[in-house]
Every structure is written in structure tokens, then in C-alpha cells.
Amino acid sequence: MQVITFKARPRTIIGVLLALVGVAVILLTFVSGHGGKAQQTSADAVSCATEKERSAYLASLGWEFNSSAEKDITIPSSFNQVYENYNALQKENGFDLTPYKGKAATIYTYNITNYKGNEKVIANLIVCDGKLIAADLCDPSAKDGFLTGLTANDTT
């Protein structure tokens, strides 16, 4: 029977351990970053720089509308609970307002005419630098109010 031994200084052992931890971190980062649900990327960005593009986007989702309004806003630099909740809703639909904190944007509001017989529903498109960064459907009335992500119309 043979016994193999080696001597290592504590400095060498720590170096080897750090190298192993580094490799493990790189592998975990690679594996976790390349699986699961795909997020919206700039390649997926919807151009909404013009009224024609915004109207075409809503129509492509099956929504009919009859008027619009616009308002300039600034996305807050830090989100309160309301913005955190709104951004969570947006993330479910492939958007994320986090990169736009502190930036100027415009909200375009459209009166939706074909939402399950409810004439109070509006669609909001939030646009920054000509790109759609958030979108929602809501009924702002106190009685029947709701807020949901803007998706294709499945009510027809």
C-alpha cells in the first residue's frame, strides 16, 4: 500500500478554495441566466413614437378606441409601494420600469370601446424615447374599478 502526501501552505489552500468558489459562482451565474422565462429585450421593443404606431399596436391586440389624450410624466427615481406594485404588474407582461427611473416619459390614454360592454375602460401606453415601456387597461371608476396589464382582447 502506498500513501501519497503533500504539503501545502495555508496561503496555497486559501488560493485554491477561492479559485473553486470563483468557478462555482461563474457556473451558477451562467446556468441561472440562461434558463427560465424570457424577459423583454430591446429586440422585442414596440415602437410607439407616433400616433399611427400606437393606434396600430392597440389594433393589433384587438382593441377598438375612439379618442386619446397624452400627459408628460417623470418616472420616479425611487419607487413607493404603488409603483412597486405597478411595476410587478408590468413585469408579468414583459415590461420593467426599473431602467427608466428618473426619466421623462409620456402616457397616452385611449378610451376603449370594446371591453365586455364596459365603456369606462381606458388603455394607457407609457412611452419613453419612442419605445413602449409599460401598458395597462383600467377602469378608473370607483364602483367597478380595476387595473390589469394590457393584453390581447379575448372578449370578442
Side-chain angles (χ1 to χ4, degrees):
M1 179 160 116
Q2 290 185 337
V3 176
I4 299 175
T5 63
F6 67 93
K7 275 189 168 182
R9 295 181 177 160
R11 179 187 255 172
T12 305
I13 293 172
I14 290 173
V16 170
L17 288 175
L18 286 176
L20 290 174
V21 168
V23 169
V25 167
I26 290 170
L27 287 174
L28 287 174
T29 302
F30 179 76
V31 170
S32 67
H34 289 81
K37 187 177 174 182
Q39 293 292 322
Q40 179 180 7
T41 65
S42 58
D44 300 325
V46 176
S47 180
C48 284
T50 66
E51 181 62 32
K52 184 177 180 180
E53 289 175 329
R54 292 185 295 274
S55 296
Y57 178 69
L58 285 172
S60 75
L61 295 175
W63 297 111
E64 297 171 5
F65 48 94
N66 61 16
S67 64
S68 68
E70 68 181 77
K71 180 180 178 182
D72 293 328
I73 63 164
T74 300
I75 307 296
S77 295
S78 62
F79 289 171
N80 62 18
Q81 192 60 49
V82 172
Y83 262 91
E84 289 291 345
N85 293 343
Y86 185 74
N87 199 37
L89 173 70
Q90 293 307 313
K91 286 179 178 181
E92 291 174 10
N93 290 301
F95 297 106
D96 184 3
L97 290 172
T98 305
Y100 302 96
K101 286 182 175 182
K103 293 192 177 187
T106 304
I107 298 178
Y108 296 93
T109 302
Y110 296 84
N111 294 321
I112 300 297
T113 59
N114 64 332
Y115 186 89
K116 301 178 187 177
N118 185 341
E119 297 176 10
K120 300 174 189 172
V121 175
I122 60 174
N124 293 303
L125 304 179
I126 302 178
V127 177
C128 183
D129 297 328
K131 300 294 181 194
L132 185 65
I133 63 170
D136 65 77
L137 282 176
C138 69
D139 178 348
S141 70
K143 180 181 175 193
D144 299 317
F146 67 85
L147 174 69
T148 186
L150 180 63
T151 59
N153 182 1
D154 62 359
T155 61
T156 56

